[in-house]
Amino acid sequence: MSASSGSIAIIGAGSVGAAIAYSLLLRQVVADLILVDINEEYCQAQVEDLSDATFLSNVRIRQGTADDARNADIIIISAGAKQKPGETRIGLIDRNIKVLESVTRSLQPIRRDAILLIVANPVDILTFYAQRLSGLPRNQVIGSGTMLDSIRLTGILANRLKVSDSSIHAFVIGEHGDSQCVAWSSATVHGRPLLKALPLTETEREEIATTTRMKADSIIKVKGFTSYGVAAVTARMCEAIIFDHRKILPLSHWQENLGCCLSLPVVLGRKGVSPFPVDLEESELQFLMQSAKALRTVIEGNDVNSVGS
Ligand SMILES: NC(=O)C1=CN([C@@H]2O[C@H](COP(=O)(O)OP(=O)(O)OC[C@H]3O[C@@H](n4cnc5c(N)ncnc54)[C@H](O)[C@@H]3O)[C@@H](O)[C@H]2O)C=CC1
Ligand SMILES: CC(=O)C(=O)O
């Protein structure tokens, strides 16, 4: 299989950026990958290491600058601080908003049809500010959001049902963080309501939702970071964009009615995201409202208020 002729720039070549590059390289999503990092020596070493794997694909990988990145089809932002064990994603806001400001400034003038993918945390808040700072249409600035949580949830459910992950459609919605919730009412297994195929008590549902929500914390506690899951998720997003798959995925995007960015299912293709309606039960809607309120509180209560306004 050969890669499409496009290019993807990854800004932030740490554990996550390198894992994303590796996934894109193996999946041959585009012909050219550009890695950019403030730590140029480290970035060069990551490129050297990754280039030892390019014999498996037709992808070229190189170190670049913001000038190179601004002309890419997709620009991924994985630059920023990561959580220490026990720290919340929201706790990263002060450090990572500064990184985002500097990165988005360096990307100007940005290609008008570029898609900006935000991966750094807190991803929903940073997606909101990246929309403001980049000047791109909001549908072209997307956060990886709860797609990773949804993959984690699907894995648990598939295990219980002893079926493949791909037979299950189940979404985590809201914040990629503590206020997220599972949209149980819309979950299906091969088209059948999931709760019919797998009757779960309220307590069991709560346990599954908690395990899903806490998975990153339990990994970070031991190895200090997560990278492979979000890398696979980002590669899938890039494929959907480059090949205009119009895949329905739970991603962080602008919510006009809620005044913030959070995850609900959207259609993802070459032009970015477009809405896809989802039916939620009243209790799920309440959770979603609470999640939006939690995110708005961070935006309103922070001294990042003036960013890009
Ligand atoms: N959305 C998600 O599901 C996930 C998000 N993350 C987030 O991804 C981010 C990166 O995590 P890691 O790669 O583990 O951290 P890391 O510390 O390994 O790498 C971060 C990189 O960003 C670079 N950087 C910092 N400021 C920069 C700037 N102004 N311009 C260019 N590069 C800059 C650093 O030099 C470093 O190489 C964190 O915010 C983390 O919380 C991590 C896992 C999953
Ligand atoms: C770190 C993070 O956001 C995750 O693995 O979900």
Side-chain angles (χ1 to χ4, degrees):
M1 191 172 96
S2 63
S4 112
S5 60
S7 65
I8 296 179
I10 302 170
I11 305 187
S15 311
V16 169
I20 293 172
Y22 190 57
S23 302
L24 291 169
L25 190 154
L26 293 181
R27 305 278 303 178
Q28 308 201 95
V29 180
V30 284
D32 282 300
L33 284 180
I34 304 158
L35 258 65
V36 182
D37 199 288
I38 199 166
N39 186 339
E40 291 179 18
E41 196 183 6
Y42 186 76
C43 186
Q44 184 56 39
Q46 290 281 42
V47 168
E48 292 294 334
D49 194 8
L50 284 156
S51 69
D52 287 345
T54 53
F55 74 95
L56 282 179
S57 78
N58 297 317
V59 176
R60 289 179 298 265
I61 183 158
R62 66 181 168 97
Q63 183 177 13
T65 61
D67 283 344
D68 302 314
R70 76 167 65 105
N71 290 312
D73 296 275
I74 301 176
I75 305 165
I76 298 167
I77 301 187
S78 50
K82 56 179 173 247
Q83 297 155 263
K84 296 189 182 71
E87 190 177 15
T88 65
R89 295 175 180 90
I90 294 287
L92 299 169
I93 184 68
D94 290 342
R95 280 162 285 167
N96 286 353
I97 195 77
K98 290 194 180 83
V99 173
L100 182 74
E101 265 191 294
S102 125
V103 167
T104 45
R105 199 177 311 118
S106 73
L107 288 172
Q108 298 302 335
I110 196 166
R111 190 173 138 180
R112 294 311 298 167
D113 66 345
I115 304 288
L116 198 53
L117 294 188
I118 311 301
V119 174
N121 275 317
V123 68
D124 302 288
I125 307 279
L126 294 187
T127 303
F128 172 87
Y129 284 112
Q131 293 180 346
R132 242 195 221 184
L133 292 161
S134 67
L136 288 173
R138 279 181 152 146
N139 63 304
Q140 288 171 222
V141 183
I142 311 152
S144 58
T146 57
M147 184 168 160
L148 177 53
D149 308 279
S150 304
I151 300 286
R152 289 170 174 156
L153 170 70
T154 305
I156 298 171
L157 297 172
N159 224 2
R160 291 257 185 138
L161 277 164
K162 304 208 182 327
V163 299
S164 68
D165 294 29
S166 59
S167 306
I168 295 178
H169 287 94
F171 295 124
V172 174
I173 56 173
E175 179 194 2
H176 174 57
D178 296 342
S179 68
Q180 64 181 233
C181 80
V182 175
W184 290 108
S185 65
S186 63
T188 58
V189 47
H190 198 65
R192 187 167 180 227
L194 179 105
L195 294 175
K196 266 196 180 168
L198 180 68
L200 294 167
T201 64
E202 187 85 27
T203 310
E204 286 172 320
R205 275 190 252 173
E206 192 42 51
E207 274 168 13
I208 291 172
T210 304
T211 307
T212 303
R213 191 174 60 245
M214 299 303 291
K215 187 160 186 194
D217 290 48
S218 57
I219 299 169
I220 290 169
K221 201 167 135 193
V222 182
K223 67 171 265 192
F225 64 93
T226 64
S227 59
Y228 298 118
V230 75
V233 158
T234 309
R236 176 52 60 83
M237 289 173 74
C238 290
E239 282 171 357
I241 294 163
I242 295 290
F243 302 113
D244 198 25
H245 282 156
R246 305 196 58 76
K247 216 168 169 54
I248 299 174
L249 302 168
L251 301 171
S252 191
H253 62 287
W254 172 244
Q255 305 288 332
E256 192 65 44
N257 300 337
L258 301 173
C260 63
C261 290
L262 52 69
S263 291
L264 279 171
V266 270
V267 183
L268 180 63
R270 185 61 192 91
K271 292 188 174 159
V273 292
S274 50
F276 188 81
V278 59
D279 295 324
L280 297 174
E281 274 181 356
E282 187 52 37
S283 61
E284 293 163 350
L285 267 174
Q286 289 308 321
F287 268 114
L288 192 70
M289 298 295 170
Q290 280 169 28
S291 197
K293 193 169 167 208
L295 290 164
R296 278 199 312 268
T297 303
V298 178
I299 293 166
E300 286 157 13
N302 226 293
D303 60 3
V304 292
N305 245 341
S306 57
V307 175
S309 60

